[in-house]
Structure formats: C-alpha cells, structure tokens
Amino acid sequence: MTFTDEYKGNNAMVAHGNTKLHVIHTNDKKQNANTLAQYERHLSLQRHKIVGIDLEYDNDPEATQKPALCQLSIGKNHPALLFQMSDTERCIVFDNFLANPRYTFAGFSIDGDKTRLEHVKLEVANFVDIQKEWRVPEATKPLDSLEDVSGMLIDDNYNNMKKKITDDEHERWATLPLFRRHIEYASKDAYAAMAPVADTCVYAEGLELTNTEWRNMLGCVMIPNRGFRAPFLHRLTTADLQESGKLPSTIKFHAPSSGKLTLETEHKNGYGDIQADYHIDSEDCINITTGWKDFVSQNGFEAGEVAMVFFYKEEDSIKFTIFAL
C-alpha cells in the first residue's frame, strides 16, 4: 500500500532554533517523482548543485544489509524527501536522479552507504564525503560524526541528534509506521549533510569562484572557534588595497564610532596580525585607516583575490580574521 505523510506548517519538523523543515515521507513513486522534479527545477538555477543525502538501513546482517530509507535535502526552503526504499517497487526516476553527474551529493562517512546501495544495484554518481574532503585542521578532537560537524557549523542542537531516538528505534527503519522521532531524526540528518556545504555557497553569491577557491573557503569555515558561519566574502579590488579599507554598507557591525581593532590573517605569507584604527562613517560603514596599508603590504594581498572575513567582537576589542582564498 502506498502512503505519503507530509509534515509542514505547524506540523513541520524543527531543525534548530526557528528553522523548520517541511518533510515528505513516502513510498509512492509518483510523489517521489514530483518532489524530485521540484528539486531539479531549483537545482537547474544553481551554480553549485548540492544535495544532502543520508541512508538508514534495514536490520539484516551487515553482509546483506540494504537501504531502508533514503533522506534527501536541497535546503530549508524546500521539502526534505524521505523515500521509504524498503517498502516500494523500483523507482526509475529516483535511480536516475542519484546517477545524475550534474549534482553533488554530500554525505558523511559514506563508505557504508555506498556498500548498502551496491546491495540493491544503485550508485550515486557524484558522492562527496564531507568527513574526507573537508577534515577540520587543528581540531581538538576528530570530527567523527555528522553531528559533530553540524553542531559546530550550524547549531549546538545537532550535538544531541543521536540521543533523539533509542538504539531499538534505530534498528527499525524498515518497520512501518515510523515514529515522529524517526522522521525528525532523518530529516535533520539530510539537512545537516548539505547545510555545511550548500550554505557556504550562499556567501559566494555574485562571485565566480574557482573550485580551488571554493574548497579553500570550506576549509576555512570548518576551523573551530574562528567565527560564525556567515563570513563576508569579497573579491579584492584595487581600491580595497589603498591607504584605507572600507567594508560595504551591507555589513552592519555594532561597535563604538571609532577605536582600534586587530587584523589577523592566514595567507600565502603565513600568519600575521597588526593593530589598526577604524571609524564608522555617516553611512554606517567601517573604515579601517591607520595600519591597513601596512597589513595589505605585509600579507601580499593582490587585486582579484577572494578574501573571506570573520568578525569577532569581545568586551573590549574587535578582531577581523581575513583568509585569502
């Protein structure tokens, strides 16, 4: 028997804070095809075509274990799709979507997922492992789970994802009906798989980044305690490298009208920091004056480079950390 359970509006799944996820849980091939068609229309307009993916398995022995549930997400503004593979016939539209090389499917520690997909003769064409591709440098502990990464980059709430369902519940993904706790866990897993990758693409909107710049950006974002997850991303112009530096009016940073700040960088010339003066002008823009030119010279910044800036405000100081990608 086919089914479609939809969770939206007041019944939507809470991902974290005020972020809610519209979720479709189905074994209906027609509903699955309709949702994937929505995905394809959205992805056709995106430069980085990122799909978050995760799998939950049935309770067979590991040697024959198969996917029970496939979770897909393309972001919080689109429904997360939970396709119940253990209780449906083969869906060619679904198979073709996974095999489409235009899309990047972001997962975490995907070796096990690849093996289970092979058991049902399925393959993801462009499967990227967040754990392997963007391993966090200088971490105090290995990030050995998706919860670790999501807790650092998205919200602390993700650190407790594993506690949302019991071990017994985790073994019944192929047994219907699934509890609401299962749906919440599965939808957050799919969203968390793509958010650290796809959300960083938003920072690059309006910029044509090379693959190297894009990967470097992800590496910088995933350094613990380096700032929040929405840095200012900007391609340096000749004007930016003059006597003073001015942040655009879109960057609102609450601070005294003038004072000193610390500029630090990790760049091709290594780590460096310098004290600089700043003032906030009539347009509410931060102008970095004395010290900016020395900072530019010291670090060898050049017009055309993409700079990613993290902002920090402490009780008595302001700090900008600048990465040149």
Side-chain angles (χ1 to χ4, degrees):
M1 180 182 294
T2 61
F3 70 88
T4 297
D5 295 327
E6 195 162 4
Y7 304 82
K8 62 181 182 178
N10 293 333
N11 197 34
M13 297 295 162
V14 176
H16 63 272
N18 294 323
T19 299
K20 293 185 177 182
L21 302 178
H22 174 189
V23 181
I24 296 173
H25 176 215
T26 188
N27 69 346
D28 186 342
K29 293 195 294 182
K30 184 177 180 179
Q31 175 64 64
N32 187 50
N34 288 340
T35 305
L36 293 179
Q38 294 178 39
Y39 280 16
E40 290 180 327
R41 285 194 293 272
H42 171 73
L43 292 169
S44 69
L45 303 175
Q46 306 304 307
R47 181 167 184 264
H48 300 295
K49 304 179 191 303
I50 311 294
V51 182
I53 184 171
D54 194 31
L55 296 174
E56 305 297 344
Y57 313 141
D58 62 25
N59 205 28
D60 287 352
E62 185 173 337
T64 58
Q65 204 167 44
K66 297 179 290 296
L69 186 75
C70 181
Q71 304 115 273
L72 300 175
S73 172
I74 58 171
K76 63 185 177 183
N77 295 322
H78 302 272
L81 176 62
L82 310 184
F83 186 45
Q84 193 69 44
M85 298 174 65
S86 61
D87 189 46
T88 190
E89 298 176 355
R90 193 79 181 216
C91 179
I92 300 301
V93 174
F94 174 74
D95 295 359
N96 290 342
F97 183 77
L98 295 186
N100 193 326
R102 292 181 300 167
Y103 307 139
T104 297
F105 291 86
F108 194 93
S109 190
I110 65 175
D111 291 342
D113 291 346
K114 286 183 174 181
T115 300
R116 272 65 173 196
L117 287 169
E118 289 172 358
H119 292 166
V120 292
K121 295 181 170 55
L122 271 178
E123 183 178 359
V124 178
N126 191 11
F127 210 162
V128 176
D129 194 332
I130 297 171
Q131 186 184 43
K132 292 180 179 178
E133 293 290 333
W134 298 296
R135 189 175 301 279
V136 178
E138 303 173 6
T140 56
K141 63 184 281 297
L143 295 187
D144 56 5
S145 73
L146 179 59
E147 289 79 7
D148 287 332
V149 172
S150 302
M152 183 181 73
L153 292 182
I154 307 175
D155 191 272
D156 289 342
N157 178 262
Y158 289 87
N159 291 319
N160 298 316
M161 278 176 60
K162 287 184 177 179
K163 299 178 182 178
K164 297 295 184 180
I165 60 175
T166 66
D167 290 343
D168 288 342
E169 289 170 340
H170 201 69
E171 293 178 354
R172 61 180 305 275
W173 290 104
T175 305
L176 298 177
L178 297 180
F179 300 144
R180 184 179 176 89
R181 291 191 296 278
H182 286 101
I183 304 302
E184 179 184 10
Y185 178 95
S187 56
K188 288 176 67 173
D189 246 12
Y191 173 66
M194 59 76 58
V197 181
D199 281 1
T200 54
C201 296
V202 175
Y203 316 150
E205 188 173 354
L207 292 179
E208 287 296 321
L209 296 186
T210 67
N211 286 335
T212 299
E213 287 170 339
W214 186 54
R215 285 175 180 266
N216 288 346
M217 178 177 65
L218 290 167
C220 294
V221 169
M222 294 183 71
I223 296 178
N225 304 317
R226 282 301 201 187
F228 54 91
R229 63 183 185 281
F232 169 52
L233 195 64
H234 173 64
R235 192 175 293 280
L236 294 171
T237 66
T238 301
D240 293 324
L241 307 179
Q242 302 303 314
E243 294 284 344
S244 63
K246 181 175 180 177
L247 273 68
S249 58
T250 53
I251 303 299
K252 301 297 183 184
F253 194 74
H254 298 290
S257 59
S258 62
K260 289 190 176 293
L261 54 81
T262 299
L263 296 167
E264 66 175 16
T265 189
E266 292 185 16
H267 191 259
K268 58 192 175 188
N269 292 345
Y271 173 83
D273 68 86
I274 197 168
Q275 290 288 308
D277 295 314
Y278 79 90
H279 71 270
I280 298 177
D281 64 18
S282 59
E283 298 177 331
D284 291 331
C285 298
I286 291 183
N287 287 259
I288 306 171
T289 52
T290 306
W292 173 251
K293 186 175 182 181
D294 291 337
F295 182 70
V296 168
S297 175
Q298 173 181 304
N299 292 285
F301 290 131
E302 298 176 4
E305 290 184 308
V306 176
M308 183 170 67
V309 186
F310 289 95
F311 307 92
Y312 310 82
K313 183 180 178 184
E314 299 173 351
E315 289 185 3
D316 57 353
S317 66
I318 299 173
K319 181 183 294 185
F320 290 0
T321 298
I322 302 175
F323 294 89
L325 305 181

